Amino acid sequence: LNLCARRLSDIRRVGWEEGLNVYFETHVDRISECPRAYAQILEMVESFDAPVEVNADLSHYIYRGIFKGKSLEFILNHVQHFHVRLARVHGDLSSDADDMASDFDAGGATRQAWEQSLRVLRHRGVSSRTICGETGPMHLVKDTLGTDARLVPLLRAMAEVGDGNTKPIHEGFNPFRDRL
């Protein structure tokens, strides 16, 4: 873990020296796959110098059924960039929904993405400038651009919350039906 932390610190430092923002994404099959280990790595980097900024693609944790824990909260406190894609718990890492509004109402992948995003957007300073769709051409997704286009109402609601508008946070809100 120490070696990973040193490498993240080095990569971040080189990026900053070149005037670049550097984010490390939550991802399966990478150093961030295990929230406990990733949180320890992030803590080590902080002990060397400055915190690492995380790009949260929470679909990787949703896919694995990871929704809570001290390590996850620690990681979420480092989020500065946000990728959004649909995932199904213990199902598909990249998923789609034929009817986004109905999927949201039924608590499907769109609702899971919304609820997990609120954990980051409400308290952690992620703004609309750092939220983007990222549907991958795998599993059940055949038309990535079409899926991302159909996710725009969800992305727009997330951006509103990220910019401080709490209007979308109420019982019964559905970004695919309700206008902001």
Side-chain angles (χ1 to χ4, degrees):
L1 294 179
N2 191 10
L3 178 60
C4 289
R6 292 246 176 246
R7 287 185 175 164
L8 290 187
S9 179
D10 290 344
I11 292 167
R12 188 209 44 237
R13 181 185 43 75
V14 169
W16 285 1
E17 287 171 0
E18 296 299 320
L20 301 171
N21 291 339
V22 178
Y23 304 98
F24 297 95
E25 183 172 341
T26 57
H27 208 288
V28 295
D29 294 332
R30 302 292 183 266
I31 63 168
S32 58
E33 176 177 43
C34 171
R36 186 172 179 197
Y38 195 37
Q40 289 175 330
I41 291 168
L42 296 176
E43 282 183 292
M44 286 180 200
V45 175
E46 282 184 12
S47 74
F48 303 153
D49 41 42
V52 166
E53 295 177 317
V54 172
N55 170 42
D57 182 343
L58 297 179
S59 66
H60 293 274
Y61 289 159
I62 291 170
Y63 164 74
R64 295 186 58 223
I66 300 170
F67 295 104
K68 59 186 175 181
K70 287 182 354 185
S71 297
L72 180 60
E73 288 303 317
F74 185 85
I75 293 165
L76 296 180
N77 281 322
H78 288 77
V79 171
Q80 296 296 320
H81 197 274
F82 200 46
H83 284 178
V84 179
R85 89 165 97 200
L86 301 182
R88 301 212 186 270
V89 177
H90 306 299
D92 299 301
L93 178 57
S94 192
S95 185
D96 200 350
D98 292 330
D99 180 342
M100 298 284 184
S102 294
D103 181 77
F104 192 90
D105 286 337
T110 54
R111 172 66 69 84
Q112 290 172 358
W114 170 250
E115 289 175 356
Q116 292 308 305
S117 75
L118 290 179
R119 296 175 66 192
V120 173
L121 299 172
R122 284 189 202 170
H123 309 292
R124 295 178 170 90
V126 175
S127 74
S128 60
R129 296 179 300 107
T130 62
I131 299 170
C132 69
E134 187 201 36
T135 300
M138 56 192 286
H139 303 293
L140 300 177
V141 178
K142 304 298 182 223
D143 177 13
T144 59
L145 293 178
T147 300
D148 275 348
R150 292 183 305 115
L151 285 174
V152 166
L154 178 66
L155 298 173
R156 185 174 288 132
M158 290 175 178
E160 287 287 329
V161 174
D163 289 341
N165 180 0
T166 58
K167 182 179 176 186
I169 306 174
H170 63 81
E171 187 68 33
F173 173 73
N174 185 322
F176 301 101
R177 264 200 286 282
D178 302 335
R179 290 277 178 212
L180 296 175

